[in-house]
């Protein structure tokens, strides 16, 4: 969380700040030290730009694989569209940067840090069974990094603004924070994850933000199993690809109650039977045995960061009517999310607020 403090206190932070924080925390988890975006206050080596450069094509592949995949894997398009290390754009540039980072870490064992995934992968490459090659370990580190970045930032960004822009919700959350602090139930300076999960209203805010603004608002496909299945009285044969979009399902009033277009955390606290139904149809992280493997890391990362911001700062959107601009590239990407930050227990003079972009 020291990186979160650095981010919040830095008046130079720009629109990518949430992604910088997520990128640094995930690389810290993987390699034992961060890539350095928060410290430098910049998109180091253009990693995030390169990631966004490939999103359009990546989104097409994800939503239309039967059309796009044959095209991009066939010569001559394969030469220009498939990523290769050494390229100066898109996934190829990201692969090159991560390869350098991976091999610097490989060549400097003194950087070992207890509990990081890199060392776990490396031990696997050196065991008797040789379950992973060094190249396999490199690919695993790369995959974990790119999978976590905008998905987790796409959870953090709307959560901050949805709370900050609703005075009723903000007042209730700050009251809960104070009550927990007064009772000694939140550690200083940073609350533990277990402590945070005991805060019912904050947990409801998180659930409601994920319902209203799911990070992956696209159809999550599955294949019908052997023997087929019946959906609403219609037989669907085995092998058929079916799916549901969380953005659509989460706005079904029969499941999630009234005012589904509104941010209303109380819906997760009121009716026990309704909560069970909402939990059943919550598609934020996927469904069944194919749920996102990084869910717990993303939730810990996001909850600790957002709660700490509201413990230490007054947060006000520059334009509450337009708190952000977002684009759906298979993942919701947020831009232009200007907010004012003011340290708590300071003057309420608006001129003292510092404008940053999340």
């Amino acid at each position: 969380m020291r990186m979160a403090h650095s981010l919040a206190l830095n008046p130079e932070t720009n629109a990518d700040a949430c992604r910088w924080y997520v990128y640094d925390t995930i690389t810290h988890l993987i390699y034992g030290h961060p890539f350095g975006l928060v410290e430098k206050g910049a998109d180091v080596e253009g990693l995030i730009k390169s990631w966004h450069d490939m999103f359009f094509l990546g989104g097409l592949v994800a939503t239309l694989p039967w059309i796009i995949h044959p095209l991009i894997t066939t010569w001559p398009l394969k030469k220009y569209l498939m990523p290769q290390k050494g390229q100066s754009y898109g996934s190829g540039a990201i692969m090159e940067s991560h390869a350098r980072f991976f091999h610097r870490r490989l060549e400097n064992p003194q950087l070992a840090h207890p509990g990081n995934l890199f060392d776990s992968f490396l031990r696997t490459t050196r065991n008797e069974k040789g379950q992973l090659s060094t190249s396999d370990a490199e690919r695993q580190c790369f995959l974990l990094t790119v999978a976590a970045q905008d998905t987790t930032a796409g959870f953090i960004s709307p959560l901050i603004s949805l709370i900050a822009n609703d005075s009723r919700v903000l007042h209730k959350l700050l009251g809960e924070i104070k009550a927990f602090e007064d009772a000694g139930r939140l550690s200083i300076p940073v609350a533990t994850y277990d402590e945070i999960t005991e805060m019912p209203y904050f947990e409801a805010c998180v659930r409601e933000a994920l319902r209203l603004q799911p990070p992956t608002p696209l159809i999550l496909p599955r294949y019908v199993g052997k023997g087929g299945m019946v959906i609403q009285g219609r037989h669907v044969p085995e092998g058929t690809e079916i799916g549901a979009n969380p953005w659509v399902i989460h706005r079904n009033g029969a499941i999630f109650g009234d005012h589904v277009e509104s941010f209303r955390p109380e819906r997760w606290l009121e009716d026990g039977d309704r909560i069970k139904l909402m939990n059943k149809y919550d598609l934020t992280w996927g469904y069944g045995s194919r749920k996102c493997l990084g869910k717990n890391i993303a939730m810990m990362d996001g909850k600790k960061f957002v709660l700490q911001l509201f413990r230490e700062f007054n947060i006000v959107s520059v334009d509450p009517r337009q708190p952000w601009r977002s684009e759906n590239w298979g993942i919701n990407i947020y831009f232009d999310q200007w907010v004012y930050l003011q340290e708590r227990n300071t003057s309420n003079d608006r001129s003292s607020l510092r404008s940053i972009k999340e």
Side-chain angles (χ1 to χ4, degrees):
M1 284 302 295
R2 286 193 299 270
M3 287 183 287
H5 295 310
S6 174
L7 171 61
L9 292 168
N10 181 3
E12 303 300 325
T13 304
N14 69 20
D16 284 323
C18 283
R19 286 183 281 271
W20 297 347
Y21 164 73
V22 172
Y23 216 116
D24 272 359
T25 52
I26 196 64
T27 50
H28 189 92
L29 175 65
I30 294 170
Y31 295 107
H33 58 102
F35 218 102
L37 283 75
V38 170
E39 180 183 2
K40 292 182 172 62
D43 181 8
V44 176
E45 298 185 16
L47 284 170
I48 293 173
K49 181 182 182 302
S50 295
W51 178 238
H52 289 173
D53 285 346
M54 55 75 61
F55 250 124
F56 178 74
L57 180 59
L60 287 178
V61 173
T63 53
L64 301 170
W66 59 91
I67 297 175
I68 305 301
H69 186 264
L71 291 176
I72 66 175
T73 56
T74 304
W75 191 90
L77 292 179
K78 179 178 179 179
K79 177 180 178 181
Y80 299 101
L81 296 179
M82 290 298 289
Q84 302 290 333
K85 287 182 184 178
Q87 291 175 332
S88 60
Y89 56 89
S91 295
I94 302 170
M95 292 166 64
E96 183 67 24
S97 293
H98 275 275
R100 289 196 299 271
F101 200 70
F102 179 90
H103 287 284
R104 279 200 301 269
R105 180 67 177 78
L106 191 65
E107 294 161 6
N108 292 276
Q110 73 276 10
L111 296 176
H113 185 280
N116 70 79
L117 293 173
F118 175 91
D119 289 330
S120 297
F121 290 146
L122 212 58
R123 283 194 297 272
T124 305
T125 68
R126 294 168 178 170
N127 70 13
E128 294 178 357
K129 297 180 181 179
Q131 294 174 338
L132 284 178
S133 68
T134 301
S135 295
D136 289 335
E138 181 180 344
R139 283 191 287 269
Q140 289 295 322
C141 290
F142 172 76
L143 177 62
L144 288 168
T145 306
V146 298
Q149 187 212 131
D150 273 295
T151 48
T152 306
F155 149 43
I156 294 173
S157 293
L159 176 59
I160 293 171
S161 288
L162 286 168
I163 294 172
N165 288 343
D166 190 316
S167 58
R168 180 189 61 82
V169 171
L170 179 60
H171 178 75
K172 291 182 73 170
L173 176 60
L174 294 180
E176 182 176 68
I177 290 172
K178 185 177 186 307
F180 270 66
E181 288 178 336
D182 290 347
R185 298 178 64 184
L186 291 180
S187 297
I188 297 173
V190 179
T192 68
Y193 185 66
D194 286 342
E195 291 169 341
I196 293 171
T197 58
E198 294 296 318
M199 302 178 68
Y201 196 71
F202 181 65
E203 285 291 305
C205 289
V206 171
R207 296 296 302 274
E208 182 69 348
L210 288 170
R211 179 195 70 81
L212 196 59
Q213 297 289 136
T216 52
L218 78 167
I219 291 176
L220 305 172
R222 301 287 187 272
Y223 288 109
V224 174
K226 186 176 181 180
M229 65 186 300
V230 177
I231 301 177
Q232 294 186 339
R234 179 177 178 179
H235 180 263
V236 181
E238 66 179 76
T240 304
E241 184 178 298
I242 61 174
N245 189 321
W247 188 278
V248 177
I249 299 299
H250 292 178
R251 283 163 167 75
N252 186 327
I255 299 169
F256 292 93
D258 297 333
H259 310 294
V260 290
E261 291 292 346
S262 300
F263 180 65
R264 199 175 71 83
E266 289 77 10
R267 77 178 76 241
W268 296 93
L269 300 170
E270 293 170 343
D271 183 335
D273 290 336
R274 171 77 69 182
I275 293 170
K276 289 179 183 178
L277 185 66
M278 294 191 297
N279 285 334
K280 180 179 179 180
Y281 289 97
D282 182 356
L283 298 182
T284 300
W285 305 100
Y287 204 82
S289 62
R290 298 297 185 271
K291 278 192 174 182
C292 173
L293 293 176
K295 171 187 172 181
N296 292 335
I297 293 173
M299 291 290 273
M300 179 186 68
D301 202 7
K303 288 180 183 180
K304 293 192 72 170
F305 176 61
V306 173
L307 183 70
Q308 197 65 23
L309 280 181
F310 283 100
R311 287 182 77 183
E312 298 197 16
F313 295 93
N314 296 312
I315 305 173
V316 180
S317 288
V318 172
D319 184 359
R321 296 167 300 176
Q322 187 67 42
W324 63 65
R325 176 175 64 85
S326 65
E327 297 183 14
N328 182 357
W329 298 347
I331 297 171
N332 251 352
I333 310 296
Y334 292 85
F335 305 94
D336 300 331
Q337 198 173 10
W338 286 99
V339 297
Y340 293 108
L341 293 185
Q342 181 188 46
E343 291 185 56
R344 295 200 174 279
N345 301 319
T346 62
S347 168
N348 289 324
D349 180 4
R350 189 178 180 87
S351 65
S352 71
L353 295 172
R354 288 166 292 171
S355 179
I356 71 163
K357 282 185 180 180
E358 295 171 359

